[in-house]
Structure formats: C-alpha cells, structure tokens
Amino acid sequence: MSDVVNKLWGFCHTLRHDGIDYGDYIEQLTYLLFLKMADERGVDVPLGCEWESLKKRSGTDLTDHYLDVLRSLRESPGLLGDIFAQSMPRFNNPVNLKRIIAMIDEEDWTEMGVDVKAAAFEGLLEKAASEGKKGAGQYFTPRVLIKSIVRVMKPNPLSSPNFKICDPACGTGGFLVCAYQWLLDITGGVFDRKDIKRIKTKTYYGEDLVPRPRRLALMNLFLQGLEPTIYLGDAIYEADSGDRYDCILTNPPFGTKGANQAPDRDDFTIETSNKQLNFVQHVMSILKPGGRAALVLPDNCLFEDKAGEVFKILMQDCNLHTVLRLPRGTFTPYSQGVKANVVFLQKGLPTENVWIFDARSNVPGVTKKDRPLTSLHFAEFEQCYGDDPNGQSIRTDLGLEGRFRKFSISEVKQRDYKLDITWLKDESLEDGDSLPEPQFLASEAITELEAVVDDLRDILQLMEVDDEDE
C-alpha cells in the first residue's frame, strides 16, 4: 500500500502546478477509485459512466466525458447520488487526468483488501498532514484499535430483528466497515434470506459534519454491497432525531471546543461546550435501552470538572463497566501527543463497578516506523474483557502489579466520578532515554491547559448569568 500511496502522492506535486490542491486531488481520486473498484466488483453504474469509457478517451474528449460522468452520477437517484453530490471535475489539463486514470488502472484494488481505498486516502492525508503541519486525526481511528473494539463489542445484527449499528462521528466509515467485516468473518458471509435485505439496508448508520469523509464512508460501504444511511450534519448541535441504536462505536473529533457554546438540547442534562462530553450525552440519548457503546475519549474528558458531572449522570442510567487506557502515540501521526481512552458502557443498568485496563504505563510509545500499533497492544485487554460484549464475563482483578483492576462505584464517587485512575508506576517517565518526544509532551501540556481554560470559561459564564439575574 505504501508504494501505491507514494506513487499517487508524487503525482499530487505535479497537479499543484495545475492549480489542484491536495484536498481537491484526494476528492477526485476517490471518484476515480470508486469507478475502478465498481468495475472490478461488477457494481452497476449509470450507462456511459463505466471505467472503460474513461480509459479509452484522451484530450478534451476525456475531460468533457469526465464532466458528463460526474453530472450523471450526482443526478442518480438514491445512494449513488448521495455519494457524488456536488461533485465537479478539477482537472484543467487532460494529460493529467489521463495519467491518474492510467495509474489507478495499473492496480487491482479489489485484490488489495476490503478497505483499501480508505487506506490510500489515509496515507495521502498523512502525507498532507506532515507537509502542511495540519492534523488529520479527525478522519481516522487506527484500524488496529477499531478491530479490537469491534471484537469485544460483537456488533451482531443477527442477534435481534431490528439491530442497528451507528457511528455518530463516522469519518470515513472505519468502524462501520470493520463491523461488517467482523460479521462476514463470523458467518462466512452466509445469511438467511429473511435477514439479507435488513442487514444490507437497515443496519449501518452514521453521521459526519464534513462532506469528504462522509462521501468516502458511503463509497466504502456501498462497495461492500451495503446501502448505509450516513447523515451530513452536526450530531451534537442538531435536535435529537429520535433514532435509536443497539450498538454505537465512535471516536468523536479531537479538540475540546465545538461552536464555543453549549448545545441547546433538552436531552443534555449537563451544560458544557466541551464537544466530547456532549458526544457522551448524545450517545446516552441515542442508545436503545439495553444497547451498548464504545467511545474513544481523550484524557481530559475523564478528569475535568464537567466530566465528573456528566459521568455521574451516565453512571445512574448506564453500566460504565470498562475503561481502556490507550498507549501513548496511538493516534500518531495525526494527533501527536493526544492521550486517549476507550469507554465501554451499556444503557439501562446503573454502574456498580468500573474495570480499568492500563495499556499505557511502562509500554513504549507508539511511533509510525519503529514501534507501530499492532494487535499485540490489545491482546491482553481483549482476554481480560471476556466474551460478553456487555462486560458481564467473569473477570479477575490483577492487583497493584497488574494491568486490569476493579473499582467500585463508591470508590469512583469518592473521586467525584472522575475516571483518571492510575495505580501502576510508569517507570518510562523516570527514564530519560524513554521519555516521549518533546512534541508529545508539549501536546499533552496543551491538552491539559485547554481543559483548565474550559473550566475557567464555564466559571465566567456562570458569573455572567449571575450578573444578569441581579
């Protein structure tokens, strides 16, 4: 994959002279990759939009035809029209368009794997992020982490006749694609006839604020033979739609601030402008009773003042049974220095115990080249979690020297419902040779300072309200 990404990225430098920036290039690439993979998989597209119709043309005939293809696709009914909504060609020079078509045609994309297009997109965004110093963490959760979460959460639509899976911050659809791949793995892709249509059309749901990753999510799932529902919008600032789901898997966007104001929603008990904490409240709203969720949250969401208030409410209505502390550098290179966790919960039962697995202390930080994230980082966690997706398996507290420990609700309450609980001494932080890179430490400091600033803003808002009342 890296060779393919390098080849595609190298061509992006050429296209800059044609007035095409990396964002436009990636978008055009997704259109063309979709048509190539649709051709490989025998997916029907409107007459005249076939991959072969692009390959055989050149010159202005090619650019004119490409314009017609995009117009036809965006005017198509249903999902195909959603995928190509507002699509426009960006190639001014037909030679460049011809060359990118030839490069794409050289590869058999279907043979590379199910989610190859997202991987190519991820690789290109990584390069754009490293060159432009602009993080792309909002688009991606590492596939290794997603697969681990999916394995313990078991999002199985065969378990009930109306089972729905949702990611309210779906990005390019990684959680939804992996959830479907997991289903294919455990069933061999064989479903009863009565279940096929429901699984294909009424099981996988998502939402994203940004058109480009939403488009890629639609493409990825469409090429799996699915017809997902992926909304374009702001999950936390829009009114509750009333939709409810059995399983939610999500990584809300990094950064504490949304629109710098608390959402005006009656179903949000705690008023805060911290968007991750609002996503927690949103998940509480859209989960069905008995439904389960896994959310990726940065460390500050476990310790700032509003976090305690949110988790206090959550633990009354939900069993927050497990917290996974992720290794340092999990989101390298997109959001360097972000320390994060995965919170697992089930709606409908109050929390009695919180189990915490520390996959961070005394674990070398993840790096892109020397120490990449692998499934081994989560193997012990998955074993400790157990087979029950709702966290009800028999578990063993491994004690002060172990990575997996149980904390009663009374212990959590004594900490004002804040979940930044540690017990292992992290020797790596005392070893000068093992200290994280300076940019990681700086990013961690910024994250913690932002949390303090959030608290100060909330205090100021309360003071302003008091002044108005007087």
Side-chain angles (χ1 to χ4, degrees):
M1 173 51 63
S2 60
D3 291 341
V4 175
V5 169
N6 286 334
K7 182 164 62 173
L8 293 172
W9 179 252
F11 189 52
C12 184
H13 291 296
T14 302
L15 291 176
R16 285 178 180 176
H17 298 295
D18 198 23
I20 300 176
D21 66 20
Y22 84 86
D24 286 337
Y25 174 55
I26 292 170
E27 188 168 56
Q28 298 298 305
L29 193 64
T30 62
Y31 300 152
L32 295 167
L33 280 171
F34 175 85
L35 291 172
K36 175 65 161 62
M37 293 180 76
D39 178 67
E40 291 174 358
R41 295 178 181 227
V43 175
D44 290 332
V45 296
L47 188 64
C49 297
E50 301 85 358
W51 180 249
E52 289 296 321
S53 72
L54 287 165
K55 279 176 57 179
K56 66 185 182 183
R57 287 177 165 81
S58 60
T60 55
D61 181 38
L62 173 59
T63 50
D64 290 345
H65 179 64
Y66 183 50
L67 173 64
D68 291 338
V69 166
L70 293 185
R71 181 187 299 119
S72 178
L73 290 167
R74 69 174 180 260
E75 292 175 356
S76 297
L79 186 58
L80 204 56
D82 277 348
I83 291 173
F84 285 89
Q86 300 180 335
S87 60
M88 293 292 293
R90 301 296 182 192
F91 293 94
N92 299 314
N93 186 336
V95 173
N96 288 332
L97 177 56
K98 183 72 174 178
R99 184 175 167 190
I100 190 65
I101 289 172
M103 279 198 296
I104 291 172
D105 196 57
E106 288 174 0
E107 308 292 341
D108 189 340
W109 295 86
T110 304
E111 289 299 314
M112 289 184 189
V114 174
D115 203 17
V116 66
K117 188 154 48 59
F121 189 76
E122 180 173 348
L124 289 167
L125 272 177
E126 176 188 330
K127 287 185 172 291
S130 63
E131 293 213 354
K133 308 301 181 186
K134 181 180 180 182
Q138 69 208 46
Y139 294 109
F140 298 109
T141 308
R143 293 297 181 268
V144 170
L145 174 58
I146 289 177
K147 289 179 179 179
S148 179
I149 292 172
V150 167
R151 280 193 293 269
V152 299
M153 289 292 282
K154 296 180 171 57
N156 190 351
L158 298 175
S159 61
S160 68
N162 297 304
F163 196 93
K164 294 181 179 180
I165 304 159
C166 178
D167 180 352
C170 68
T172 57
F175 272 112
L176 299 176
V177 168
C178 287
Y180 184 60
Q181 287 178 325
W182 174 85
L183 180 65
L184 294 179
D185 288 342
I186 66 165
T187 62
V190 178
F191 309 120
D192 288 343
R193 183 171 297 179
K194 63 181 177 62
D195 294 318
I196 292 176
K197 184 175 182 181
R198 172 178 64 86
I199 290 172
K200 300 282 188 181
T201 64
K202 295 181 179 180
T203 298
Y204 297 92
Y205 294 79
E207 183 167 1
D208 203 87
L209 183 62
V210 184
R212 280 175 177 162
R214 173 190 179 253
R215 175 177 286 124
L216 196 73
L218 288 168
M219 286 182 175
N220 280 334
L221 290 157
F222 183 77
L223 288 167
Q224 301 303 307
L226 301 176
E227 296 181 31
T229 300
I230 309 290
Y231 300 105
L232 180 64
D234 193 318
I236 59 175
Y237 282 94
E238 294 172 353
D240 180 14
S241 67
D243 294 330
R244 299 294 182 262
Y245 305 97
D246 299 89
C247 184
I248 295 175
L249 309 169
T250 191
N251 177 12
F254 295 147
T256 59
K257 285 300 171 188
N260 285 319
Q261 62 184 23
D264 183 17
R265 283 181 53 166
D266 294 336
D267 56 323
F268 284 14
T269 307
I270 304 303
E271 187 173 308
T272 175
S273 55
N274 181 303
K275 61 186 178 184
Q276 281 100 8
L277 292 177
N278 284 321
F279 261 100
V280 173
Q281 297 190 86
H282 180 62
V283 167
M284 290 169 61
S285 290
I286 65 176
L287 263 182
K288 291 179 183 177
R292 57 187 178 270
L295 298 87
V296 180
L297 297 173
D299 274 17
N300 70 285
C301 282
L302 302 189
F303 64 72
E304 70 170 56
D305 286 343
K306 290 288 185 178
E309 296 179 38
V310 169
F311 284 118
K312 179 180 180 180
I313 298 295
L314 184 147
M315 291 185 198
Q316 293 170 1
D317 296 335
C318 303
N319 179 19
L320 195 164
H321 51 79
T322 311
V323 176
L324 166 63
R325 299 183 75 225
L326 295 173
R328 292 175 186 270
T330 291
F331 293 92
T332 299
Y334 308 116
S335 297
Q336 293 192 26
V338 169
K339 293 187 294 185
N341 314 267
V342 187
V343 173
F344 299 85
L345 59 94
Q346 182 185 20
K347 185 173 179 176
L349 296 169
T351 301
E352 295 182 0
N353 298 295
V354 178
W355 291 78
I356 299 179
F357 188 94
D358 186 348
R360 183 183 307 167
S361 298
N362 302 312
V363 174
V366 173
T367 62
K368 183 64 178 177
K369 293 182 179 178
D370 298 332
R371 296 189 300 271
L373 194 70
T374 71
S375 59
L376 292 177
H377 281 94
F378 305 116
E380 185 183 355
F381 162 72
E382 291 178 34
Q383 184 178 9
C384 289
Y385 189 101
D387 289 333
D388 189 319
N390 293 316
Q392 298 303 303
S393 296
I394 296 174
R395 294 173 164 185
T396 302
D397 187 322
L398 300 180
L400 287 171
E401 301 301 317
R403 294 193 177 275
F404 197 45
R405 297 209 60 203
K406 179 175 73 171
F407 298 89
S408 69
I409 187 62
S410 60
E411 292 175 285
V412 174
K413 184 178 179 180
Q414 288 174 2
R415 300 177 59 87
D416 294 326
Y417 296 92
K418 296 175 183 179
L419 294 171
D420 55 326
I421 302 172
T422 58
W423 62 93
L424 289 173
K425 184 178 180 181
D426 197 340
E427 306 288 349
S428 63
L429 296 180
E430 298 182 3
D431 180 359
D433 294 332
S434 301
L435 282 174
E437 295 295 320
Q439 65 266 30
F440 281 80
L441 295 173
S443 181
E444 288 178 11
I446 290 170
T447 300
E448 294 186 12
L449 286 170
E450 284 178 342
V452 173
V453 170
D454 285 348
D455 289 340
L456 290 173
R457 284 198 179 108
D458 290 332
I459 291 169
L460 285 172
Q461 287 176 355
L462 288 172
M463 292 172 65
E464 290 171 0
V465 170
D466 289 341
D467 289 342
E468 290 174 1
D469 291 341
E470 292 176 2

